[in-house]
Amino acid sequence: MSFEDLWRDQSAIGRDAETGGYTRGGWTPSEREATDWFLDQCASRDLAVESDGLGNLIAWWGAPDRPGVVTGSHLDSVIDGGAFDGPLGVVSALAAVDLLRAEGFAPSVPIGVGVFVEEEGSRFGMPCLGSRVAAGVLPAEKALALTDRQGVSLARALEAAGTDPAGVGPSPLLERMGTFVELHVEQGRGLTAPVGVASSIWPHGRYRFTFEGEANHAGTTLMEDRHDPMLTYAMTALAANKQARLAGARATFGRLSIEPNGTNAVPSRVIAWLDARAADTATLESLLAAITRQAVERAERDGTTVAVVPESVSPIVDFPAGLRDRLVGVLDGAPVLPTGAGHDAGVFSAAGIPTAMLFVRNPTGISHSPAEFAEEDDCLAGVEALAAVLKDLAQ
C-alpha cells in the first residue's frame, strides 16, 4: 500500500466534519479506532506487535531477540488538532518499511514501528504520558491517579479499555530499543528544505496558576470593593506575553477554569495553565520567575492571591551529535535545527537511548490546528529519508 493510500485511510478517522480538526485523546473512541487501524496494518505486513502495560506498541520487522532500530510516533492529538502531528511519523514508518521491503533489503537488526500513547496529554494533562511511564520517569501510581476533565482517572480509563492498571510501569519494550528515530512534521517555519534533522528540544513546562479572590455580585459591587481574580489573571497573561517577547522565549495561557463561572458574578477563583518554553533552562526559569513576580505584585493590589504549581517540566534535550551527524551524512547534508515542541523522542533520549529526529517541512508553520499542513511531495521525501536512515542504521 502506498503512502498516499495509508494517509488517506488513517486521516479519515476521527476528523471533525465542521472544523476539519481531530480530537483523539488517549483511550477515547477515535484514538482507539486509529490504534485498531495501526494493528490491522501491522497484521497485513506480518509485523509482530508487542504491547506494554499502558498500551504503548512496537511492531517488529524481524525477530525482536536483540536491540533494534525503532521509528514511529503517536496517533493521539490535541483538542481540534491537525492531521500531521503524530500520525505522519506512524504512516511514514509503515511506508518506509514497505519501501525497504520492495527494495529487497534484509535488516541485520530488527526494525520496529512504535506508537506511544497520550503524547499530547490532551486528555490527562501530562505530555508524553506513554513514553514517560515507559521510561520510568513518571511513576505508575502518579500516572494512574491522573484525571481528565470529567474526573475520570487514568486507571478507570484503562479498565474501560480492557487494560489491567496493575500492569502499568516501566516498559520492557525499551530494553530492545537500541536506537530511536522519530519523524515528525515541523511545527514552525524554521525548515525551508523538504526534510531536516533535529539538533535539540527546548526545555519547557506546564504550570498551574491558581488565582483566589471573592465571589460577589457583578451589578451591585463597587469596582473599588472587588477582589477579582480574573483581573489578576488578565494582567498575568499580558505579563507572560511581554516577558516571553523580551526573552525570545514562548509563553501561553491556553486553558482556563473559572468559578463560579457565571456571567453576573465576580469570580471567586481562576485557574490558568501556562505553557512556557525557552532555548535554555536559565531563560525558562527566569521567564517563569518574572511572570510569577508580576502576578504576585498584581494580586497584592487586587486583594487576591496567586499560587503556582509546576505540573510537568522537561529539561533541554540535546540529541547525540554522532547520531545526528550520521543522519545528516546519509541525507546529503540535510539542514539541522532545534525545536520548541516536545516529543517522545526527547523522553527516550533523556532515558539514555540513542535518539534522533527527522522533520518534514511545514510551509505555513501552523500546528496544533486544523490548518496544519505539509505538501504531499515533502511527505514522500520524508518517507524516502526515513527509509534511507533505517537502512543505514539496520545494516
Side-chain angles (χ1 to χ4, degrees):
M1 184 179 288
S2 68
F3 169 86
E4 295 91 335
D5 291 334
L6 286 166
W7 186 254
R8 182 172 56 253
D9 286 353
Q10 178 278 144
S11 61
I13 299 170
R15 185 174 185 269
D16 188 291
E18 294 185 5
T19 69
Y22 296 80
T23 301
R24 294 179 183 170
W27 301 278
T28 61
S30 58
E31 187 263 358
R32 291 292 89 186
E33 184 180 353
T35 300
D36 288 341
W37 170 88
F38 173 73
L39 292 172
D40 288 343
Q41 292 300 324
C42 294
S44 71
R45 291 166 172 76
D46 293 322
L47 303 180
V49 179
E50 293 187 331
S51 175
D52 63 17
L54 189 59
N56 295 306
L57 302 170
I58 295 182
W60 293 102
W61 174 22
D65 54 358
R66 51 188 158 159
V69 181
V70 179
T71 185
S73 192
H74 61 96
L75 292 170
D76 66 293
S77 76
V78 298
I79 298 172
D80 202 31
F84 294 83
D85 181 358
L88 181 62
V90 176
V91 174
S92 297
L94 292 170
V97 167
D98 290 347
L99 183 59
L100 291 174
R101 280 179 158 176
E103 293 178 356
F105 175 68
S108 298
V109 298
I111 292 177
V113 178
V115 172
F116 303 97
V117 292
E118 186 72 348
E119 191 271 352
E120 298 291 2
S122 62
R123 182 174 180 186
F124 291 100
M126 177 64 68
C128 298
L129 174 60
S131 54
R132 287 177 190 264
V133 172
V137 176
L138 178 63
E141 59 272 18
K142 290 187 177 181
L144 293 170
L146 294 171
T147 57
D148 65 14
R149 300 179 192 216
Q150 283 69 50
V152 177
S153 69
L154 175 58
R156 285 177 55 198
L158 290 175
E159 290 172 343
T163 301
D164 184 357
V168 173
S171 177
L173 296 177
L174 269 61
E175 297 173 4
R176 291 188 293 279
M177 191 183 290
T179 308
F180 182 66
V181 179
E182 182 173 6
L183 180 144
H184 205 281
V185 68
E186 210 254 321
Q187 294 174 276
R189 291 186 287 116
L191 181 60
T192 56
V195 178
V197 178
S199 59
S200 62
I201 297 176
W202 281 15
H204 53 280
R206 296 183 182 187
Y207 309 88
R208 185 177 71 248
F209 282 63
T210 301
F211 303 90
E212 299 274 4
E214 181 180 78
N216 219 324
H217 196 292
T220 61
T221 309
L222 296 175
M223 300 303 286
E224 58 268 28
D225 289 344
R226 300 180 180 208
H227 304 285
D228 187 350
M230 181 64 79
L231 186 63
T232 315
Y233 157 71
M235 195 290 308
T236 304
L238 293 174
N241 180 278
K242 180 178 180 179
Q243 293 299 330
R245 288 173 182 268
L246 291 173
R250 313 282 189 269
T252 307
F253 279 103
R255 177 184 168 196
L256 283 177
S257 173
I258 303 165
E259 298 175 18
N261 204 24
T263 304
N264 59 350
V266 176
S268 60
R269 175 184 296 159
V270 175
I271 304 175
W273 283 264
L274 173 73
D275 182 302
R277 309 174 188 233
D280 58 78
T281 300
T283 302
L284 178 62
E285 292 176 348
S286 176
L287 172 64
L288 179 65
I291 297 170
T292 302
R293 182 178 64 253
Q294 289 191 250
V296 170
E297 291 173 353
R298 181 69 201 203
E300 291 174 352
R301 296 201 298 273
D302 293 335
T304 60
T305 63
V306 58
V308 182
V309 176
E311 291 196 338
S312 69
V313 181
S314 300
I316 190 170
V317 173
D318 289 311
F319 292 113
L323 181 58
R324 177 200 66 204
D325 294 344
R326 181 172 177 175
L327 267 62
V328 171
V330 169
L331 302 179
D332 298 323
V336 177
L337 68 161
T339 178
H343 300 282
D344 291 319
V347 175
F348 295 140
S349 182
I353 296 169
T355 303
M357 289 194 72
L358 298 178
F359 290 130
V360 171
R361 176 168 52 190
N362 179 338
T364 65
I366 296 173
S367 187
H368 283 188
S369 159
E372 184 179 79
F373 180 69
E375 296 283 358
E376 184 175 284
D377 285 348
D378 288 350
C379 293
L380 293 173
V383 172
E384 292 181 358
L386 180 60
V389 166
L390 294 176
K391 185 175 183 178
D392 180 76
L393 295 173
Q395 66 184 355

